[in-house]
Amino acid sequence: MPQLELDSICKTYGQPGTPTALTVLNGISLRVEAGASLAVVGPSGCGKSTLLNIIGALDRPTDGSTILDGEDLATLSDDALTNIRNRKIGFVFQQHYLLPPCTVLENVLIPTLAENRTRAERKTDTDRAEALLERVGLADRRHHRPSQLSGGEAQRAAVVRALINQPSLLLADEPTGSLDGTTASALGDLLIELHTADKLTLIIVTHSRELADQMNTVYQLRNGQLQS
Ligand code: ADP
């Protein structure tokens, strides 16, 4: 069984059939095995973020189904989707979205707050956050605020926040889009290393051909369909 299966996904913004309706995804089918890495590339506005948001249960398709670990997301309530997102899926966006008043350590622990954790579990979460921060080279920045970080450091903290609940699927939407060349390459290398070492499934939407070419499979999104 694949980890993720998209079957004939369509997404139309606006009322279908009206002149203002915009069909962005037009019958996308895809199977993703656990531990795979893939990139979706294509020009701005072609629907890459829309597709990623549907995969990550942040948005629902107009038609078609998304099956994650054998579960059809269309059948789930919003609360159940929130729960799946929190436990199974990590997100990294172009902007880091770290909360300015919180330290790096506090920021990366935010996804754990949704769950009722015991004191012992909170300690485990903190230990895990510290270990991950160490792994991405931010151990000595953990008590800094986001404004005291470089762009690359902030994005690495966002990666740790995405991984804190040990997801099996990491989704990244233009993760290097706000970084300069060298920093972008380093972040790409970090994502690949985490994917390889932790057998994490990695789906990246990107403009960067360099980053896309490091994935096992690269798809072009064109006219609402995926082409390999
Ligand atoms: P990409 O990520 O490839 O840049 P997006 O998925 O963000 O593309 O957007 C695809 C198209 O859908 C764009 O034309 C965009 O304007 C439109 N779009 C995205 N979100 C909405 C929305 N909530 N309502 C209406 N149109 C939208």
Side-chain angles (χ1 to χ4, degrees):
M1 183 180 77
Q3 181 181 18
L4 172 73
E5 195 167 357
L6 304 183
D7 184 16
S8 308
I9 291 289
C10 296
K11 180 71 179 182
T12 297
Y13 289 114
Q15 189 62 35
T18 64
T20 52
L22 176 69
T23 295
V24 179
L25 305 178
N26 194 10
I28 290 188
S29 296
L30 179 70
R31 290 163 70 94
V32 182
E33 302 296 333
S37 67
L38 68 91
V40 177
V41 298
S44 185
C46 73
K48 303 183 298 300
S49 297
T50 300
L51 177 62
L52 206 68
N53 289 346
I54 288 173
I55 291 174
L58 285 171
D59 196 4
R60 292 181 187 267
T62 313
D63 206 356
S65 57
T66 312
I67 300 181
L68 183 63
D69 294 330
E71 206 162 19
D72 186 346
L73 300 187
T75 64
L76 301 179
S77 66
D78 287 348
D79 282 353
L81 287 183
T82 302
N83 192 268
I84 285 197
R85 261 198 317 272
N86 206 40
R87 284 186 297 110
K88 294 192 175 182
I89 307 173
F91 289 92
V92 180
F93 299 97
Q94 181 168 352
Q95 309 300 330
H96 54 70
Y97 297 123
L98 297 173
L99 298 181
C102 299
T103 65
V104 168
L105 183 60
E106 289 164 349
N107 264 288
V108 304
L109 284 167
I110 285 173
T112 68
L113 303 178
E115 313 271 335
N116 281 326
R117 300 280 218 267
T118 62
R119 185 182 290 245
E121 285 167 337
R122 296 217 171 279
K123 166 87 170 67
T124 308
D125 290 338
T126 305
D127 289 349
R128 180 171 159 72
E130 303 243 7
L132 278 167
L133 288 170
E134 169 111 46
R135 192 167 164 194
V136 305
L138 287 179
D140 62 350
R141 295 283 188 278
R142 64 192 191 285
H143 298 306
H144 286 56
R145 313 259 167 215
S147 62
Q148 299 170 308
L149 302 179
S150 69
E153 287 169 342
Q155 200 58 327
R156 277 185 275 149
V159 170
V160 171
R161 183 186 51 195
L163 297 180
I164 194 67
N165 281 341
Q166 300 182 272
S168 51
L169 175 60
L170 183 62
L171 304 180
D173 191 345
E174 298 284 6
T176 61
S178 300
L179 306 177
D180 65 63
T182 313
T183 316
S185 293
L187 192 88
D189 292 346
L190 173 65
L191 292 174
I192 306 279
E193 193 244 296
L194 293 166
H195 148 74
T196 311
D198 297 1
K199 298 192 173 57
L200 192 64
T201 309
L202 179 58
I203 302 182
I204 292 187
V205 154
T206 183
H207 273 103
S208 162
R209 198 67 220 192
E210 185 195 330
L211 179 59
D213 285 343
Q214 293 180 75
M215 305 294 125
N216 302 139
T217 317
V218 180
Y219 291 98
Q220 281 271 351
L221 182 53
R222 188 172 290 153
N223 299 326
Q225 304 206 316
L226 285 183
Q227 302 169 353
S228 49

